[in-house]
Amino acid sequence: MGANNGKQYGSEGKQSSSTLSDISSGTDHTPTRAPKNATTSEGLDSSTRTLSTPSPGLILPSKSSSLSSPALSSNGHDTHSSSSSSARAETSAVVHATPGAGPHARSARQPKGHHSSSSSSSGPSPIDLLPDHALLQVFAHLPTNQLCRCARVSRRWYNLAWDPRLWSSIRLSGELLHADRAIRILTHRLCQDTPSVCLTLETVVVSGCKRLTDRGLYVLARCCPELRRLEVAGCYNVSNEAVFEVVSRCPNLEHLNLAGCSKVTCISLTEEASLQLAPVHGQQISISFLDMSDCLSLEDEGLRIIASHCPRLTHLYLRRCPRLTDESLRHLALHCPSVRELSLSDCRLLGDFGLREVARLEGRLRYLSVAHCPRITDVGVRYVARYCPRLRYLNARGCEGLTDHGLGHLARSCPKLKSLDVGKCPLVSDGGLEQLALYCQGLRRLSLRACESVSGRGLRALAANCCELQLLNVQDCEVSPEALRFVRRHCRRCVIEHTNPAFY
C-alpha cells in the first residue's frame, strides 16, 4: 500500500508541494519541513489518500454565507533543493492534514497505561478549543502565506483553512515566486467541486511578481469568471493577448491595474468574444478603474481603443506614458463621459489643447493631475476651471506656464477645491494665493514647494480665511518664521512642511 500511495505523488504532486510551500513560507529562507506530529501517507485510509492529492475536495458555500477574505502575500522563496523524500513529506504536510496531527489524536496513540508528562500537563492547545465558526473568523484576517501555513497544522485546520469563504481574494508577491505555477495550483484547488470553474474568487493581486507571464493570466481567465479585481502592476512579461483573454472571459471585471506592464498597448475584447456580443450592447467592457501608468508603449491609437471599449471608466491613470498626445484625450472625452479621476502626470507631450478636451468631461471631473506637463499654461487651466466647477483636486506641479492669472480663474470657478499642488511654478505669487483665500475657503491641502515668488503676505491671507487647512508645504520658499507662526496660530490642525531652521 505504501508503494502504491507513493506513486500518486508524481511530478505534479511534488511541484504543487513546492509551490504551496513557497506561498506559505512567508519570510522563511529554509525549506519547509513536515510537522513533527504528522504521519506519513502510508498509514492513511482511502478517503484520506484522496486528500493527499494536490486538489482535494471543496464544498462551495451558499451565496448567503460570507466571510471577509484575507489579504494575501508571499516573498516567493524557492525550495528546489529539497530531496524527493523531503518533497513527499512536505506534500503530506502542505496539501493534506494527517489523522494524527492534532493533540487529541497524539494522546490517543499512547499505549494504555502509558502517561506522557507533556500530554498530561499541557493538554490541547487553547486555540483548538475554539468552535469552527470562531476559528474561521480568525483565519479570515490572515494573509495567504499564513493561511497556507495554517492548512499544514492538522486535519481540522486544513479543512477550515480551505473553506471557500476565505478565498474570495488571493494576493501574491515576491520577485522570485513562480506566480504562474502558484496561480495554477491554487485555482485548481479551489475548483475541486466545480470542475474548471472557481465561483468564489473575485480579487487577484500579483503586483510585483516579475515571473508572472501570460500563462498565469490564461488560467485566471479560464477558471475565474467571477473575477472583479485584477492587479498585475510591475509584471512586465504580460502582453496584450492575455489581457484581452481576461477582459473577455471575466465580464464582471471592474478594477484593472496594469501599471508597469510595458508590453500592453491597448485593451480590447478577443475576436471570438466580439462576435458573440449582441449588436445592441456593442463591444463594451465593464472596467471602471484602469491604471496604465508606466505603460511606455501606449500611444494615441491604443488609448482610442481603450476609450471605445471601456465607456464605463470612472478612474483612469496614465502617469508617465510619454507617447500620448492631445489627440488621445479627444477620444477619451468622446467615449468616456463618466471619468471622475484622471491622472496625466509626466505626459510631456500634452498641452492646453488636451486640457480643452478634458474640460468636456464637465461636471463629473473631481480629480485631475497634470504634474510635470511643461506645455500646459493658464489657457488650459482656464478651460478646466470654466467647465469643471466641481473639481476637488488639482495637481499642476511643475507646470511653469501657470501664473496668478490662471490661479485666479481656478479659484473663482472651482470654489469647492480641497487640494491644490502648484509647487515648482515660479510665476505663482502672493496675488494668486489671495485669490485662493478669497474664493476657496474650504481648502485643506496646499503645496507651494519651490515657489520663489511666494512670501508671508499670501500665507497670512490663506491662514486668515482657510481655517480648515490641514497641510501646507512651503519647502524651499522664502517665507519668514513670523508668517509661519501666523499660519500655526490660525490653522491649529495644519501640518507645515518647511525648510526654515528658525521656525520650530
Side-chain angles (χ1 to χ4, degrees), residues 38-96:
T39 63
T40 58
S41 59
E42 281 79 359
L44 306 181
D45 57 17
S46 59
S47 62
T48 308
R49 287 202 306 273
T50 303
L51 288 178
S52 69
T53 62
S55 304
L58 178 66
I59 301 176
L60 290 175
S62 62
K63 286 288 185 180
S64 59
S65 61
S66 63
L67 283 173
S68 60
S69 61
L72 315 173
S73 63
S74 167
N75 70 342
H77 291 289
D78 258 335
T79 56
H80 293 299
S81 59
S82 10
S83 63
S84 66
S85 60
S86 65
R88 180 176 302 179
E90 192 176 11
T91 304
S92 175
V94 173
V95 180
H96 79 286

Side-chain angles (χ1 to χ4, degrees), residues 171-338:
R171 296 177 188 265
L172 303 173
S173 64
E175 295 184 1
L176 301 180
L177 179 70
H178 290 280
D180 294 342
R181 197 166 65 190
I183 289 174
R184 187 181 74 247
I185 298 298
L186 290 174
T187 53
H188 183 60
R189 175 60 180 82
L190 296 173
C191 291
Q192 186 63 29
D193 273 12
T194 52
S196 301
V197 178
C198 177
L199 300 178
T200 60
L201 194 58
E202 296 182 351
T203 298
V204 174
V205 178
V206 287
S207 297
C209 295
K210 296 183 178 180
R211 302 180 74 169
L212 178 75
T213 67
D214 288 352
R215 291 191 295 271
L217 292 191
Y218 282 130
V219 171
L220 291 176
R222 184 174 65 251
C223 299
C224 307
E226 297 299 322
L227 197 63
R228 294 180 178 274
R229 182 186 183 112
L230 176 62
E231 297 188 19
V232 292
C235 302
Y236 48 74
N237 289 316
V238 170
S239 68
N240 282 345
E241 288 71 20
V243 175
F244 292 177
E245 196 71 20
V246 170
V247 299
S248 299
R249 288 177 173 264
C250 304
N252 297 322
L253 188 67
E254 299 175 347
H255 183 114
L256 181 59
N257 188 341
L258 299 170
C261 298
S262 54
K263 293 183 179 179
V264 178
T265 60
C266 66
I267 296 176
S268 176
L269 296 172
T270 61
E271 183 177 353
E272 179 183 359
S274 299
L275 295 175
Q276 293 176 355
L277 288 175
V280 67
H281 294 97
Q283 298 181 357
Q284 293 189 1
I285 300 173
S286 58
I287 294 175
S288 60
F289 180 103
L290 178 61
D291 191 343
M292 295 192 69
S293 302
D294 296 300
C295 290
L296 305 180
S297 301
L298 180 63
E299 297 181 346
D300 292 349
E301 178 61 18
L303 188 56
R304 184 194 67 79
I305 295 174
I306 292 172
S308 61
H309 283 81
C310 306
R312 302 180 186 178
L313 278 176
T314 58
H315 297 68
L316 179 60
Y317 304 93
L318 302 170
R319 308 178 187 95
R320 297 174 295 279
C321 293
R323 301 187 181 186
L324 293 180
T325 70
D326 293 336
E327 179 65 19
S328 63
L329 299 181
R330 183 173 66 86
H331 300 292
L332 181 65
L334 181 63
H335 297 287
C336 304
S338 300

Side-chain angles (χ1 to χ4, degrees), residues 452-488:
E452 303 169 354
S453 302
V454 170
S455 69
R457 187 181 54 136
L459 292 185
R460 287 188 176 90
L462 280 171
N465 292 276
C466 303
C467 300
E468 298 181 19
L469 202 61
Q470 298 175 1
L471 177 64
L472 176 64
N473 188 337
V474 287
Q475 294 176 339
D476 302 317
C477 295
E478 297 295 332
V479 179
S480 65
E482 291 75 16
L484 296 180
R485 294 189 184 98
F486 185 89
V487 174
R488 188 168 59 183

Side-chain angles (χ1 to χ4, degrees), residues 132-144:
D132 286 355
H133 69 86
L135 205 53
L136 278 175
Q137 291 294 335
V138 175
F139 286 175
H141 296 280
L142 296 179
T144 294

Side-chain angles (χ1 to χ4, degrees), residues 330-350:
R330 183 173 66 86
H331 300 292
L332 181 65
L334 181 63
H335 297 287
C336 304
S338 300
V339 172
R340 295 169 56 90
E341 294 193 9
L342 177 63
S343 179
L344 303 167
S345 60
D346 291 281
C347 295
R348 295 183 174 272
L349 298 181
L350 298 180

